[in-house]
């Protein structure tokens, strides 16, 4: 069963994604779907923690889930995947890691700053690669589909 800590984290991911969806002026009928992407992304991150302790692979798996969710919702809602992937990725933004990097720099703890900076960079790369892989696959599949089966109806 989910502990209260996980429930709070999932609710925070949902509300944080919703806040950014509102900031980006996402229409009301797509607001819930966009916000659920953030909840799903963080749920995958937490679930990956059952098998992997390191943050980098957990961020990768969560960003893969965000990209797959965004592509699926884009087809279902007939709108760009960007709308869903940006809001779904909000819980993964490594702001805390970047903050610690800058804190160590300001305290002139350069060895800690370097180590934390490398970790921040690896997290950002995991997010980018995790989104790139499924989105590229979806793009390739779309390009190979016959003209009549494309979701947007025109050339892409």
């Amino acid at each position: 069963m989910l502990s209260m800590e996980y429930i709070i984290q999932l609710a925070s991911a949902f509300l944080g994604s919703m806040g950014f969806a509102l900031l980006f002026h996402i229409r009301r009928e797509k607001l819930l779907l966009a916000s659920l992407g953030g909840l799903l992304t963080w749920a995958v991150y937490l679930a990956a923690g059952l098998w992997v302790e390191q943050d980098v692979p957990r961020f990768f798996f969560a960003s893969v889930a965000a990209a797959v969710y965004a592509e699926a919702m884009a087809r279902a809602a007939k709108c760009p995947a960007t709308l869903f992937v940006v809001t779904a990725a909000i819980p993964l933004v490594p702001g805390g890691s970047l903050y610690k990097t800058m804190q160590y720099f300001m305290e002139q703890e350069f060895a800690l700053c370097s180590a934390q900076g490398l970790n921040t960079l690896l997290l950002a790369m995991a997010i980018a690669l995790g989104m790139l892989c499924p989105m590229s696959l979806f793009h390739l599949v779309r390009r190979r589909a016959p003209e009549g089966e494309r979701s947007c109806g025109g050339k892409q």
Side-chain angles (χ1 to χ4, degrees):
M1 187 162 151
L2 287 176
S3 72
M4 186 55 90
E5 179 184 344
Y6 286 167
I7 292 171
I8 290 171
Q9 287 186 37
L10 292 171
S12 297
F14 176 82
L15 292 173
S17 294
M18 182 177 279
F20 274 87
L22 289 169
L23 185 68
F24 296 144
H25 301 290
I26 292 178
R27 291 191 177 152
R28 189 178 313 150
E29 61 271 9
K30 293 177 178 64
L31 187 63
L32 181 63
L33 291 175
S35 304
L36 283 173
L39 184 140
L40 171 76
T41 300
W42 198 250
V44 170
Y45 171 82
L46 292 174
L50 298 173
W51 297 283
V52 181
E53 285 187 34
Q54 296 85 12
D55 271 345
V56 173
R58 292 169 70 185
F59 270 63
F60 176 80
F61 295 136
S63 64
V64 166
V68 170
Y69 177 81
E71 291 289 340
M73 288 300 106
R75 303 299 170 282
K78 294 184 173 63
C79 61
T82 307
L83 180 137
F84 297 105
V85 78
V86 170
T87 53
I90 291 301
L92 297 178
V93 173
S97 183
L98 184 58
Y99 176 83
K100 287 180 187 176
T101 302
M102 297 311 297
Q103 180 182 14
Y104 292 141
F105 179 79
M106 295 305 290
E107 294 171 352
Q108 298 182 356
E109 297 282 349
F110 298 118
L112 291 173
C113 176
S114 295
Q116 190 66 46
L118 177 61
N119 184 56
T120 304
L121 184 62
L122 289 173
L123 292 176
M125 288 174 58
I127 295 167
L129 287 173
M131 288 182 182
L132 179 68
C133 294
M135 291 184 122
S136 296
L137 288 174
F138 274 96
H139 182 71
L140 286 173
V141 168
R142 251 193 336 266
R143 290 188 85 195
R144 296 218 181 259
E147 277 295 320
E149 295 179 21
R150 290 186 180 175
S151 61
C152 294
K155 287 196 173 194
Q156 295 181 1

